[in-house]
Amino acid sequence: MSEQPMNPTPDEATDDDAPGTAPAGTVPTGSTAADALADPFADAATDVTADEAAALRAASFERARRLRQEPRFPGGPAADPAGSHHERRIRSFQPRRSRVTTGQQDALERLWPKWGLDIDGQRVLDLAHLFDGLPVVLEIGFGMGEATAQMAADDPGTGILAVDVHTPGQGNLLGLADKAGSTNVRVANGDAVILLREMLAPESLDGLRVYFPDPWPKARHHKRRLIQPEFLDLVAPVLKPGAIVHCATDWEPYAEQMLEVLTAHPRFENTAADGGYAPRPAFRPLTRFEGQGLDKGHVVHDLLFARV
């Protein structure tokens, strides 16, 4: 699974060795934004003044900025749904752009208006209306959506609000849910912290699922891990009493941190009698990613804590 903001913040820009990212301010070669960053003097006279040169550069970078913020699919998930609502904050995920297949594009174009929503931080969601009265669990980071689609199909009586920023995964999940005839999935695009903090009513969720979040293995990146005391402070108020927080990871040090942080929080109680890890519940499918890890000898830990 994947955690995933839209544009890196100044804090993120300082981590020049964060995994899977280009240096701050760079644009992939061959992209429209890269074309906009090309030599602004290509069609200009060579004897421009310093002020004219500065104006050309400013206009070029502004065009590139607008292009990066334009949605890839008009009417689909926004490139930067919260916009100026973002604040300087260390985030637990990095923006990714990958190729969208024809099938994923078709699903986004057909189903996003019906089952998709942008996390803009400007409204409180009416989950009862959004899910036709079903109890709702929040899933943060669903990767390509295979496990989420299977859980939705296996339990049509539970609504799943699935959050991610990876466009191909969003399209894939929508397509899988549509193919299975599942109507209990809604795909949210954007930063889960903004969703929790500003778009969910108190005690509106029946559970939270965080499966295989980025472990951020380097010590200096541990601050980016999602499961932190401050994150749980946001989660607790929007969960109903008794709601389950279910985490899973195959990264042993992160599992240990999850257990420590959840155990220490006064509003969560471990459901495991021995105060440790829990067996994998039958409702959580064995994912392809998880299977690959198990083949390599990785140990997967599940943690189930109840909101008290």
Side-chain angles (χ1 to χ4, degrees):
M1 299 293 178
S2 60
E3 302 171 11
Q4 323 31 82
M6 297 290 86
N7 294 325
T9 65
D11 291 313
E12 291 164 339
T14 62
D15 269 332
D16 55 4
D17 59 347
T21 60
T26 60
V27 181
T29 303
S31 70
T32 307
D35 295 339
L37 285 172
D39 181 9
F41 306 108
D43 298 317
T46 57
D47 57 344
V48 294
T49 67
D51 289 343
E52 290 170 337
L56 284 169
R57 291 191 186 93
S60 175
F61 279 99
E62 176 60 21
R63 286 195 301 272
R65 185 191 66 79
R66 288 199 305 268
L67 286 169
R68 285 194 296 268
Q69 293 180 342
E70 288 177 359
R72 301 177 74 180
F73 307 101
D80 186 13
S84 61
H85 205 58
H86 278 176
E87 74 284 2
R88 291 190 59 174
R89 168 170 54 82
I90 294 172
R91 291 182 168 83
S92 63
F93 56 88
Q94 293 285 355
R96 295 187 295 153
R97 279 224 165 180
S98 304
R99 185 179 67 88
V100 175
T101 67
T102 301
Q104 293 161 0
Q105 178 175 347
D106 174 70
L108 286 166
E109 291 174 346
R110 289 188 302 106
L111 302 171
W112 187 263
K114 180 169 62 170
W115 290 344
L117 62 98
D118 284 317
I119 299 173
D120 56 15
Q122 304 296 329
R123 56 198 167 119
V124 175
L125 298 177
D126 184 347
L127 295 183
H129 175 75
L130 198 62
F131 287 92
D132 298 321
L134 295 176
V136 179
V137 298
L138 173 66
E139 182 176 0
I140 299 178
F142 55 79
M144 294 306 292
E146 295 98 336
T148 306
Q150 184 174 334
M151 289 187 290
D154 291 345
D155 184 11
T158 297
I160 301 178
L161 179 58
V163 180
D164 211 304
V165 298
H166 188 222
T167 309
Q170 293 168 347
N172 204 58
L173 174 54
L174 289 170
L176 291 171
D178 185 47
K179 185 177 180 180
S182 301
T183 60
N184 55 328
V185 176
R186 302 293 181 269
V187 178
N189 169 55
D191 191 335
V193 167
I194 293 177
L195 176 72
L196 288 164
R197 190 180 64 202
E198 300 174 36
M199 297 182 66
L200 294 175
E203 299 187 359
S204 59
L205 292 176
D206 292 82
L208 170 68
R209 298 168 180 171
V210 183
Y211 299 153
F212 304 99
D214 193 325
W216 293 100
K218 293 182 180 180
R220 68 174 175 225
H221 291 151
H222 287 181
K223 61 189 177 183
R224 294 182 178 277
R225 288 177 173 173
L226 182 64
I227 307 302
Q228 308 273 7
E230 298 80 8
F231 174 75
L232 296 179
D233 289 342
L234 289 177
V235 169
V238 300
L239 290 176
K240 297 176 182 177
I244 297 296
V245 173
H246 182 192
C247 303
T249 181
D250 67 339
W251 191 259
E252 185 80 24
Y254 197 7
E256 293 170 356
Q257 177 185 327
M258 289 178 174
L259 183 60
E260 178 183 351
V261 170
L262 282 160
T263 300
H265 200 284
R267 301 194 69 180
F268 295 98
E269 184 175 84
N270 198 338
T271 64
D274 63 358
Y277 303 112
R280 178 175 65 89
F283 67 81
R284 183 175 74 75
L286 185 69
T287 67
R288 179 177 55 184
F289 172 85
E290 183 178 0
Q292 291 171 349
L294 292 172
D295 289 342
K296 297 175 182 177
H298 295 185
V299 177
V300 175
H301 291 294
D302 285 78
L303 301 92
L304 286 91
F305 279 70
R307 200 281 227 179
V308 295

